Amino acid sequence: MPRLFPSLLGLLSLCVLAGCSGPAVLNALTSRAGFETTRDLGYAPGERGTYDLYVPDNADTRTPVVVFFHGGSWDGGSKSLYPFVGQSLATAGFVVAIPNYRLYPQTVFPGFVEDGARAVAAVARLASQGGHGLPAGRHPLFVMGHSAGAQIGALLAFDGRYLQRVGLDARALSGFIGLAGPYDFLPIQEERYKRIFPPAVRADSQPVRFASGRAAPALLITGLADTTVEPKETQSMARAIREKGGQVEVRTYPGLDHVGAVSSLATALPLGNRDVRDSVIRFVKDHSR
């Protein structure tokens, strides 16, 4: 399996000054109007057990909440790269939580998925009780991720054991959104991934194994130019969901690569394909009613 999205650095082609990273430029250009940001809210010990919260100015008791998991091959990445995602979805009228989670070698599978479950539970409690500008209410709850983060989100949505262990029912989710996700990547060839996914638990790392007709509706997005996580993984996951009688929408974009699946969410610059953001917004609204 090829290396998954280590970062946006050097890949967005945004850096015009030596030493500036793509995300730094993109986030610097991203407007901060229309929402409030609270950083480093804790859900578990340590810096990797924190999340950033983006709350639109007009949030009410029914505003949808989206928990977005970053990519990074399960051994890299950070919420600090994704203010542009928080802004993109918050200005569309959604509350956005972007967690960090433990990475290899600090943990191996399923440690980062367990962290994801704790983060979702913490955000769900905040949505119910209110705080940090988010009114208490019955907020539709969505899980979303890019690349490795999509694998984490898919397991939370389809393998109910993770959320159950933290006191949530997976049926409480209103939907799952996966951007360029690895859902069906066995057998593993690369040694580093063999270490991240130990043999004893490797089979359980495959979201496709847990496809179900009882899970929340899914939106799966992939690009035909993605050579990092090939589109066939999205097609495999979608096929498994349909075979189980579940709800799934697939959006496939010619010319879109791995990074483009997430950079398309940016509003500050015309990156990727604008229909990606439109499709995400439409999906959240449709399944929040």
Side-chain angles (χ1 to χ4, degrees):
M1 184 174 58
R3 181 173 177 80
L4 303 184
F5 188 59
S7 73
L8 290 175
L9 304 182
L11 297 177
L12 293 179
S13 300
L14 301 177
C15 190
V16 294
L17 299 174
C20 295
S21 71
V25 174
L26 178 57
N27 289 321
L29 294 174
T30 297
S31 172
R32 294 173 175 80
F35 62 97
E36 294 294 329
T37 304
T38 304
R39 303 199 185 279
D40 299 325
L41 296 171
Y43 71 85
E47 186 272 336
R48 298 304 303 185
T50 63
Y51 68 94
D52 295 342
L53 186 71
Y54 302 80
V55 180
D57 292 344
N58 60 350
D60 60 27
T61 59
R62 289 287 297 169
T63 299
V65 174
V66 179
V67 183
F68 175 86
F69 292 99
H70 68 76
S73 297
W74 305 282
D75 64 359
S78 169
K79 62 184 176 63
S80 65
L81 294 172
Y82 294 92
F84 75 92
V85 172
Q87 179 270 347
S88 177
L89 299 180
T91 56
F94 311 142
V95 175
V96 188
I98 305 182
N100 276 339
Y101 50 86
R102 288 175 298 163
L103 304 170
Y104 178 82
Q106 185 180 6
T107 192
V108 297
F109 177 82
F112 36 79
V113 186
E114 293 168 344
D115 285 358
R118 295 185 189 102
V120 171
V123 173
R125 285 193 298 271
L126 179 66
S128 176
Q129 299 168 5
H132 301 289
L134 176 59
R138 299 183 62 184
H139 298 270
L141 181 62
F142 294 80
V143 171
M144 178 178 179
H146 173 245
S147 194
Q151 184 255 2
I152 293 171
L155 285 174
L156 296 178
F158 289 95
D159 184 351
R161 295 176 295 179
Y162 292 103
L163 292 181
Q164 185 178 41
R165 289 169 188 155
V166 294
L168 281 182
D169 190 326
R171 290 174 296 183
L173 296 180
S174 294
F176 164 67
I177 302 161
L179 309 178
Y183 310 115
D184 186 10
F185 53 88
L186 294 184
I188 294 175
Q189 304 296 333
E190 192 171 333
E191 289 301 319
R192 56 189 294 274
Y193 290 122
K194 291 179 181 179
R195 295 191 292 271
I196 293 172
F197 296 95
V201 292
R202 192 169 294 164
D204 283 351
S205 70
Q206 305 300 291
V208 69
R209 181 181 179 191
F210 300 98
S212 168
R214 299 184 300 275
L219 170 63
L220 306 181
I221 289 172
T222 187
L224 292 181
D226 191 340
T227 58
T228 303
V229 177
E230 295 182 4
K232 66 181 181 181
E233 299 214 26
T234 290
Q235 299 300 335
S236 178
M237 187 68 190
R239 183 167 56 251
I241 294 171
R242 292 187 183 114
E243 288 174 352
K244 296 292 185 178
Q247 298 181 56
V248 60
E249 175 185 350
V250 178
R251 304 288 293 178
T252 303
Y253 297 92
L256 193 72
D257 64 11
H258 193 63
V259 172
V262 67
S263 65
S264 292
L265 297 174
T267 64
L269 292 170
L271 300 171
N273 190 313
R274 290 298 190 190
D275 188 66
V276 172
R277 181 173 184 265
D278 292 343
S279 294
V280 170
I281 292 170
R282 183 169 56 249
F283 178 84
V284 173
K285 289 181 175 181
D286 286 348
H287 294 283
S288 295
R289 295 169 181 166

